[in-house]
Amino acid sequence: MEVCTTPADLSTWSDRHRVAGRRVGLVPTMGALHDGHMALVADARRHADVVIVTIFVNPLQFNRPDDFANYPRPIDDDLEICRAHGVDAVYAPVAATMYPDGFQTHVEPGSLADVLEGAQRPGHFRGVTTVVTKLFNAARPHVAVFGQKDFQQLAVIRRMAADLDMGIDIVGMPTVREPDGLAMSSRNRRLSPEQRAAAVCVPASLRAVRDAVAAGVRDAEAVVAVGRAVVDAEPLARFEHLELVDGDTLQPVTVVDERSVAVTAVWFGDVRLIDNALLG
Ligand code: PAF
């Protein structure tokens, strides 16, 4: 497995494979790799001949310094996991390589980035679109795979790739879950055992939402109330939001239809977990 730390090295590696006629797949991550990431790698392998994993905790997309400082960075374990899963190349640059002195150019997303996570975390998606563009430019992939757990991120990146004629297939993969339903996330490892047990209220809340819709409830406020009650009943959980939005525009809906998506964020201490459910 090749480990690259500069964009030039990664581009040289990627170009070698492109020239040989191989499709290059990319899985961008911030490390602390888990089975959810490896499902993305397996999917990238289905779409490409060689797979690059990027590992970079991107300071531009964090709006809370404590969240950035506490984000797990087990790089040796991550490299081992990549090796064990047959990843062909890892790109693990340091921040000074990505954002050297004088760096001042950003990719500005449009209105898809203003709502939901974007409203709660100002500047977050501008940080994501900027770093993903840099990763795309260094890796020159044919295809890039992202998890649907970050539903809005996937929508923003799809829009960016289309708007800027990037010529990269953006593939979204269903969320991978723990046996008790909690969506796999690098942030889960920051939960105490008690918070981890309490966090099942997040998928339980989305299940309650889906059940309500399956039972015929269509009024968005009524559906949200059902889901919120599940989180409010858990003493270690602090509800942030549960919204029903249109899956394409991400605008709030008042009546649930087959394009609606439930998106939620819930806090456990200083750890914020997000999740979503397609209601179609
Ligand atoms: O989803 C993530 O892990 C990050 O937002 C990404 C896409 C790697 C950009 O830093």
Side-chain angles (χ1 to χ4, degrees), residues 28-30 58 61 128 131-132 146 150 153:
T29 82
M30 297 204 298
N58 173 33
Q61 70 187 77
V128 170
V131 79
V132 169
F146 295 85
D150 296 297
Q153 170 173 280

Side-chain angles (χ1 to χ4, degrees), residues 110-257:
S111 59
L112 281 177
D114 292 342
V115 294
L116 301 171
E117 288 295 289
Q120 301 293 334
R121 305 172 67 190
H124 169 69
F125 285 114
R126 182 181 193 246
V128 170
T129 47
T130 300
V131 79
V132 169
T133 299
K134 285 174 68 74
L135 297 172
F136 283 175
N137 287 342
R140 304 183 187 167
H142 296 87
V143 56
V145 184
F146 295 85
Q148 279 172 3
K149 183 175 83 66
D150 296 297
F151 185 80
Q152 187 176 10
Q153 170 173 280
L154 178 59
V156 167
I157 289 171
R158 277 208 168 108
R159 191 71 256 165
M160 174 185 80
D163 288 349
L164 301 185
D165 306 322
M166 288 179 159
I168 298 168
D169 293 339
I170 307 297
V171 174
M173 269 290 286
T175 303
V176 180
R177 296 181 180 277
E178 302 286 356
D180 64 5
L182 183 66
M184 287 191 185
S185 163
S186 304
R187 286 191 172 85
N188 292 352
R189 63 174 82 188
R190 293 194 46 228
L191 298 169
S192 70
E194 295 75 22
Q195 289 168 336
R196 169 64 188 80
V200 295
C201 75
V202 180
S205 147
L206 292 173
R207 235 183 350 263
V209 163
R210 267 201 310 267
D211 288 349
V213 172
V217 186
R218 291 288 177 274
D219 176 61
E221 254 180 54
V223 173
V224 165
V226 168
R228 176 170 184 161
V230 175
V231 174
D232 285 344
E234 171 48 64
L236 293 184
R238 186 157 48 84
F239 176 86
E240 183 190 283
H241 71 255
L242 171 60
E243 288 183 54
L244 302 191
V245 298
D246 179 275
D248 294 327
T249 65
L250 305 186
Q251 291 303 308
V253 297
T254 50
V255 178
V256 179
D257 66 21

